[in-house]
Each structure stands twice: as C-alpha cells, then as structure tokens.
Amino acid sequence: MTSQQPMQGVSASATATLPSPLPIKDSPAVERALNRSKIYLLVSWSLLYPEDEEFLDYLRSGEFVEDGRVAIDALDVALGAVGGERAKGKLISLKKQLGLVENLIASECVNWQLSDLQSEHRRVFSNVITLDCPPYETLFGNDHVFAQSHVMGDISGFYKAFGVELSKDIHERLDHLSVEFEFMHFLAYKESYSLCHDGPEKTQIVVDAQKKFVKNHIGRWVPLFCRMLTKKADSGLFKLVADMTADWMDFETAFLGVTPQPYTETDYRPATFSSPEGQTYECGAQDQGNELTMLLNEVGAQSFMDVKEKDKENEEGRPSGTA
C-alpha cells in the first residue's frame, strides 16, 4: 500500500487537503485476503456431504449466493492491478456462475429437502470413493501408495506448521478438497489478521505458504478434478460448483502469481491409499486462536476445523488420526 504521508517542503495549507492514510484494517490488501478467505470457505462447504440442513438452509435462503457476490464485488474493488486482466476476467466469470446458481436455487433447490441434497451428493460422489471424480488429492498423479504417502505427509506438514488439525466430527481425510480449501480459507484469513496485527515478516510467511500450497497441491489436481466433476454431474448444483471452483483456481494462480503443473487425464492413475503399517498423520486445519471463529460467524458458515482446547492438549497431548 502506498503511503500518503505529507512530503517535506509542502506547506501546511497544502498538506491539510491531503487524504489521511487508510487504517490498515480497511486497506485493499486486507480486503483482498478477507474476501478470498470467504470464497474458499463457500466452495469448501458446498462440496462436503450434508449431514444436516444447515447448508441446505444456507442455499435456500439465498445467503450462499449473496455472500459470494459480496465477497467477489469487494475483491474486485480491492484487486487493483494484482493478477492482471486474467484475474479480473475470472471474477466476471464467477459472478455469472453465481447467477446460474441463483436460478437453480429458485427453480429447484428452494423445494429441496435434506434427503434431496444428500441424494444429489451421492449421485455425483457415491457412498464410497468414486473414481469418476474423487475429491481426494492423493488419487491424482500417484500410481503407488509410496508416492501417495509422500503427498499425504507434505499436506500434513502444511497443517501442522500452522498448528491446525482435522476435527473429529468430520469423517474425511486430510487430502479431501473441502479440507484443503478450508485450510486455504484459514491461511487467507490469517493473512488479513497478520496484516493488521503482525509485522511484514510474519505476513510474508503466510503469503508464501498460500503460494506453495496452490502451486504444489490444489493448483495441480483441482483443475482436473473440476473437469471430471463437470462430466460426472452433467447438470445441477455440483456441475455449477465445479465450474465455479475451476474459475476460482484460475483466479488464484493469477492472483498469487504461481504456475502449477496441473495433472492431465493421462496422469490420472488412481491407487487406493493405505498408509504404511503403524503410520498415522496429525492433520487438519484448526485455528488455535479465535480469528477463524470470528470469520465463520461473519459468513454464517460452520467450520469442521474446531478450535482446540489448549488445556486438553496439555493433558492428553496432540491427537492423531489415521489418514
């Protein structure tokens, strides 16, 4: 952010007309981080199996579309020249996708019951891991379990580096797309918090982590997953979510200035993951502070990355789960 402090040699009358510096919490950089965080959370929540009516209510009430539009509009205003025309174009495309979601909700989803949303999720993703469009990173580009173990360990390392872990209430692996997107949601919000409360060095650590996670993980497998999901769903809510997610990944790579090497159809050689005997992974994404809870309350969403009680951690040690 360019400083607008008065320069030496300027008269008092002239400096009186200069605008005051923006408070850091209202700076474009903070707005960009906050609203990227919100979009990651919306996509993350939309792909998770609906255990109750909370997400369905979020859809039917129109809040999903409204929150998405508010975040994209604010991001558009704060974007400036970051990401260039490619990023700007993807925001326009995302707005169009939200319009299609709004039409679908008005014509179909408004009358859905929870069983309808669950049936649609099972139709696309099935009750077991579907190989048509598996939402798990380690099923892409890894034709043996040793390569999968390496990728799983790297994901776990990212999570542990930021002191987060998977909630016991969610029955998913740490390489599930919803989990990885919520981790990015967490990092983007952490960036906004760091901009307001920490120095540039700590902020840069969080920014670098986002770039690496996009370049080495979600930027590699999510584009292919979206194409597979679009083909499998063919129509309906999850087809639109797939298109939104694909546009969002294009935006993120442009915004962050990274160039992942995305997997292609010929790279898709799934092998059922099984961890080496006796090996477990501490994983997930769970904030040790209260910033994540504040954001979730703001957007009306429920995180599956619960805040860990420090007292419990001291008594029982860090919990671990088998991936």
Side-chain angles (χ1 to χ4, degrees):
M1 181 176 67
T2 303
S3 173
Q4 294 182 333
Q5 296 291 339
M7 295 185 297
Q8 293 182 355
V10 182
S11 68
S13 59
T15 59
T17 63
L18 292 176
S20 301
L22 284 173
I24 188 65
K25 67 178 182 179
D26 297 323
S27 72
V30 173
E31 284 296 312
R32 290 194 294 265
L34 274 176
N35 289 288
R36 287 176 54 240
S37 176
K38 291 178 182 179
I39 296 173
Y40 267 115
L41 184 59
L42 292 179
V43 177
S44 170
W45 202 13
S46 67
L47 289 168
L48 196 66
Y49 181 78
E51 300 283 356
D52 53 42
E53 292 189 353
E54 188 171 6
F55 180 70
L56 179 59
D57 290 342
Y58 192 49
L59 278 177
R60 290 185 303 200
S61 68
E63 292 181 19
F64 177 89
V65 171
E66 180 62 22
D67 286 345
R69 281 177 172 157
V70 169
I72 291 172
D73 287 342
L75 185 54
D76 192 16
V77 171
L79 191 60
V82 180
E85 292 301 318
R86 178 182 165 199
K88 283 280 188 180
K90 289 303 173 181
L91 290 183
I92 294 173
S93 182
L94 281 164
K95 291 180 184 179
K96 293 180 180 178
Q97 296 295 344
L98 283 173
L100 296 176
V101 173
E102 185 176 45
N103 293 338
L104 179 70
I105 292 172
S107 62
E108 297 182 26
C109 299
V110 69
N111 297 316
W112 275 7
Q113 302 299 315
L114 176 60
S115 58
D116 298 315
L117 180 57
Q118 291 174 331
S119 295
E120 180 66 3
H121 193 282
R122 288 193 297 268
R123 178 184 75 83
V124 176
F125 296 105
S126 79
N127 289 323
V128 296
I129 296 178
T130 174
L131 298 182
D132 294 329
C133 55
Y136 299 98
E137 178 179 353
T138 53
L139 294 185
F140 289 80
N142 304 294
D143 54 1
H144 56 81
V145 296
F146 297 105
Q148 292 180 337
S149 298
H150 174 77
V151 173
M152 192 74 84
D154 194 55
I155 298 169
S156 176
F158 271 96
Y159 297 167
K160 288 195 292 184
F162 287 88
V164 293
E165 64 183 26
L166 193 64
S167 169
K168 295 179 180 179
D169 295 332
I170 294 299
H171 309 293
E172 278 301 350
R173 292 172 5 186
L174 64 121
D175 65 326
H176 190 281
L177 179 57
S178 290
V179 180
E180 293 192 358
F181 264 41
E182 186 162 351
F183 178 61
M184 282 297 297
H185 145 74
F186 168 82
L187 288 182
Y189 187 77
K190 199 78 170 177
E191 178 188 348
S192 72
Y193 183 88
S194 185
L195 284 166
C196 296
H197 300 282
D198 302 322
E201 291 185 3
K202 289 186 177 181
T203 301
Q204 191 61 45
I205 290 173
V206 181
V207 172
D208 288 344
Q210 294 176 61
K211 291 182 177 181
K212 291 177 181 177
F213 200 74
V214 170
K215 181 179 180 179
N216 298 329
H217 291 284
I218 59 176
R220 297 202 68 191
W221 74 277
V222 172
L224 175 56
F225 164 77
C226 290
R227 294 196 297 272
M228 296 170 72
L229 178 55
T230 297
K231 182 178 180 180
K232 176 68 181 298
D234 186 55
S235 62
L237 176 63
F238 292 109
K239 192 271 183 186
L240 297 179
V241 170
D243 294 338
M244 284 180 55
T245 305
D247 284 336
W248 180 242
M249 288 311 308
D250 282 343
F251 171 86
E252 279 289 272
T253 55
F255 175 83
L256 294 172
V258 297
T259 307
Q261 295 181 348
Y263 294 128
T264 64
E265 284 76 2
T266 57
D267 296 317
Y268 180 57
R269 301 183 300 274
T272 302
F273 176 83
S274 58
S275 60
E277 184 177 357
Q279 184 171 356
T280 60
Y281 295 94
E282 295 175 349
C283 56
Q286 159 193 4
D287 192 3
Q288 291 182 335
N290 63 358
E291 306 102 311
L292 184 56
T293 302
M294 292 165 54
L295 178 62
L296 292 170
N297 291 338
E298 179 182 347
V299 301
Q302 176 184 351
S303 171
F304 48 87
M305 297 169 180
D306 298 328
V307 177
K308 178 169 60 179
E309 298 177 3
K310 292 184 179 180
D311 291 340
K312 185 176 180 181
E313 178 189 12
N314 293 334
E315 294 174 3
E316 300 177 5
R318 180 185 293 274
S320 62
T322 302

